[in-house]
């Protein structure tokens, strides 16, 4: 059957518009991850592209992250190729210096007054110069927020009208839980990625033997669309996971499995067995239409009856290696999908079945935001669906 949101010859997912700052509508009115906190040292700038917009990030004199347009006002050189000193940013071309507000505070070619050195008014007048700081404009500055090991940036017009606070990493700082990050670059767009991250049927094929094997089991589920979230709850009594699933559930306890999408770009996948389990939280930052950085937080708690804390420490490298292998499998299949999407006209017009109902809800929310978020948005709904894995 046709996808319930398809319109003749109109893409279900418009990746070009979604990643364009001028065309993405209300998608830009949210906080997006720019980098890990550990990726932004005190003495070095970092280049990022978000919604096709080049940014340079650096830490000001107080250590707080700053995000500016990555383009010197002088000759448009990339400031991210320059240096950071005393919380200020120097251009690699002619040495123009910017402070954390984006103002030019020093121009070496104009001599000491423009370098911020004290010079009396008579001396400035004699030289025909203006005392620092230099009145030569200001780079566009974007609000930042640092929390839970991540640096967020806001590209909307008015940060006071942001549609949500930055997403909190599940179980960050909670006793008994281990949290680590993986940063992965995908050759695909945000809508396709969030659908992949909360999709069960593909796991029997893309992750066969690593996470789940085809068992042809009937999976009754509930899809709930409410307040900018799409939550999928799986109602089967047991889910025969392989690999890491056996490690977290040695006693064969009943599994509680939920997938959730949170507008505009966040997914959370939870597997819980008694007092142990793991949560996979991914936040997608669009670079270009089919180029996305995904910041995935893996939060896990091992069973309390494992013989000693040393077991948890010994397993940590394996857990990290294992999750990286699984995500790399998604990298490959997302590239495979991108190749089909970009192969001539018609890409992005999808067909679907009942098993894709939660994807239709994701697309409905993101399309509503992309088109400007006029009106109340997709209405709340809760439906039962069945698929097989």
């Amino acid at each position: 059957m046709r996808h319930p949101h398809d319109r003749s010859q109109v893409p279900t997912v418009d990746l070009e518009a979604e990643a364009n700052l001028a065309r993405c509508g209300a998608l830009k009115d949210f906080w997006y991850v720019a980098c890990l906190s550990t990726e932004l040292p005190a003495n070095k700038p970092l280049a990022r592209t978000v919604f096709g917009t080049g940014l340079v990030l650096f830490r000001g004199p107080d250590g707080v992250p700053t995000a500016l347009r990555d383009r010197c006002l002088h000759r448009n050189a990339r400031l991210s190729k320059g240096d950071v000193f005393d919380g200020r940013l120097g251009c690699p071309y002619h040495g123009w210096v910017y402070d954390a507000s984006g103002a030019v505070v020093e121009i070496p070619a104009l001599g000491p007054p423009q370098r911020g050195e004290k010079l009396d008014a008579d001396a400035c007048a004699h030289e025909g110069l203006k005392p620092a700081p230099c009145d030569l404009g200001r780079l566009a500055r974007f609000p930042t927020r640092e929390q839970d090991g991540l640096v967020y940036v806001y590209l909307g017009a008015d940060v006071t009208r942001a549609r949500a606070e930055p997403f909190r990493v599940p179980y960050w700082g909670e006793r008994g839980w281990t949290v680590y990050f993986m940063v992965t670059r995908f050759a695909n767009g945000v809508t396709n990625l969030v659908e992949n991250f909360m999709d069960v049927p593909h796991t029997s094929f893309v992750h066969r033997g690593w996470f789940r094997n085809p068992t042809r089991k009937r999976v009754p589920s509930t899809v709930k669309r409410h307040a900018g979230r799409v939550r999928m709850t799986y109602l089967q009594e047991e889910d025969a996971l392989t690999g890491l699933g056996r490690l977290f559930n040695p006693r064969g306890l009943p599994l509680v499995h939920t997938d959730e999408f949170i507008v505009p770009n966040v997914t959370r996948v939870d597997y819980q067995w008694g007092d142990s389990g793991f949560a996979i939280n991914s936040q997608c930052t669009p670079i270009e239409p089919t180029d996305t950085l995904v910041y995935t937080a893996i939060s896990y708690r091992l069973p309390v009856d494992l013989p000693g804390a040393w077991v948890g420490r010994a397993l940590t490298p394996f857990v990290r290696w294992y999750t990286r292998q699984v995500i790399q499998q998604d990298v490959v299949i997302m590239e495979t999908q991108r190749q089909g999407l970009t192969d001539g006209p018609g890409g992005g017009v999808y067909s679907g079945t009942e098993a894709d109902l939660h994807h239709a809800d994701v697309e409905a929310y993101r399309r509503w935001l992309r088109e400007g978020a006029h009106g109340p948005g997709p209405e709340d709904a809760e439906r039962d669906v069945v698929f097989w894995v």
Side-chain angles (χ1 to χ4, degrees):
M1 77 178 186
R2 296 293 291 175
H3 191 291
H5 294 286
D6 277 350
R7 290 167 286 183
S8 179
Q9 302 303 311
V10 177
T12 303
V13 177
D14 188 347
L15 297 179
E16 293 285 341
E18 288 184 3
N20 185 305
L21 192 62
R23 299 173 55 204
C24 69
L27 286 172
K28 64 180 176 294
D29 297 331
F30 294 83
W31 293 90
Y32 287 82
V33 179
C35 64
L36 303 178
S37 294
T38 54
E39 292 181 298
L40 192 63
N43 59 352
K44 189 176 181 181
L46 180 68
R48 282 293 185 263
T49 301
V50 183
F51 285 107
T53 303
L55 308 177
V56 56
L57 290 97
F58 68 100
R59 294 188 182 274
D62 54 3
V64 175
T66 288
L68 304 176
R69 191 74 163 86
D70 192 9
R71 187 166 62 198
C72 183
L73 296 172
H74 184 211
R75 289 297 183 267
N76 290 189
R78 288 293 189 197
L79 294 169
S80 56
K81 300 293 186 180
D83 298 305
V84 175
F85 48 91
D86 300 325
R88 302 186 302 170
L89 178 63
C91 178
Y93 194 7
H94 295 92
W96 283 32
V97 179
Y98 297 83
D99 66 14
S101 74
V104 181
V105 295
E106 182 180 326
I107 299 177
L110 294 184
Q114 297 293 339
R115 293 202 300 269
E117 298 177 10
K118 292 184 178 179
L119 212 64
D120 61 38
D122 289 340
C124 287
H126 177 73
E127 297 291 337
L129 301 174
K130 185 181 293 185
C134 309
D135 187 17
L136 290 169
R138 192 180 298 267
L139 285 170
R141 183 174 183 270
F142 302 91
T144 60
R145 186 86 64 85
E146 187 169 17
Q147 68 178 37
D148 299 348
L150 298 168
V151 176
Y152 290 83
V153 65
Y154 182 84
L155 273 70
D158 183 358
V159 71
T160 65
R161 301 181 67 181
R163 292 179 173 269
E165 290 294 303
F167 188 78
R168 302 309 302 248
V169 172
Y171 304 110
W172 179 266
E174 291 193 23
R175 185 176 181 180
W177 286 84
T178 298
V179 182
Y180 66 94
F181 291 104
M182 291 189 294
V183 182
T184 312
R185 195 159 185 167
F186 284 85
N188 212 319
V190 173
T191 297
N192 292 333
L193 292 175
V194 297
E195 292 185 359
N196 169 262
F197 299 156
M198 58 182 296
D199 178 82
V200 169
H202 90 278
T203 61
S204 297
F205 300 92
V206 177
H207 309 300
R208 182 188 302 232
W210 283 80
F211 191 64
R212 182 183 278 108
N213 287 320
T215 58
R216 303 302 297 166
K217 286 189 176 181
R218 183 176 182 272
V219 183
S221 310
T222 298
V223 183
K224 183 176 182 180
R225 184 177 69 197
H226 172 71
R229 293 174 178 248
V230 179
R231 184 177 179 86
M232 193 83 168
T233 303
Y234 304 94
L235 305 175
Q236 78 272 39
E237 293 183 0
E238 63 180 41
D239 188 2
L241 297 182
T242 60
L244 197 62
R246 294 177 180 173
L247 178 67
F248 278 83
N249 189 22
R251 291 176 289 167
L253 296 174
L255 167 69
V256 178
H257 175 198
T258 59
D259 293 345
E260 189 167 27
F261 165 76
I262 303 100
V263 295
N265 65 325
V266 179
T267 60
R268 175 173 173 171
V269 178
D270 284 75
Y271 293 93
Q272 191 79 23
W273 298 275
D275 55 12
S276 67
F278 59 97
I280 307 170
N281 160 233
S282 294
Q283 302 187 59
C284 302
T285 298
I287 301 173
E288 299 289 353
T290 55
D291 192 3
T292 305
L293 268 179
V294 177
Y295 298 83
T296 302
I298 308 290
S299 307
Y300 68 92
R301 181 174 181 170
L302 294 166
V304 295
D305 57 354
L306 282 177
W310 67 270
V311 175
R313 291 194 296 270
L315 289 175
T316 295
F318 170 74
V319 173
R320 290 174 180 257
W321 173 83
Y322 178 90
T323 51
R324 171 53 66 190
Q325 304 312 305
V326 172
I327 283 186
Q328 284 303 126
Q329 291 171 334
D330 282 324
V331 168
V332 173
I333 198 62
M334 288 292 93
E335 165 66 11
T336 300
Q337 182 191 33
R338 183 201 63 79
Q339 292 171 357
L341 282 169
T342 56
D343 183 17
V349 179
Y350 297 161
S351 297
T353 68
E354 180 178 335
D356 301 298
L357 184 58
H358 56 308
H359 297 330
D361 287 343
V362 169
E363 292 157 14
Y365 272 129
R366 283 189 54 83
R367 181 167 53 251
W368 172 67
L369 290 168
R370 188 187 72 226
E371 294 175 352
H374 304 296
E379 63 183 19
D380 293 351
E382 185 168 342
R383 294 88 76 211
D384 294 327
V385 299
V386 173
F387 60 90
W388 296 75
V389 295

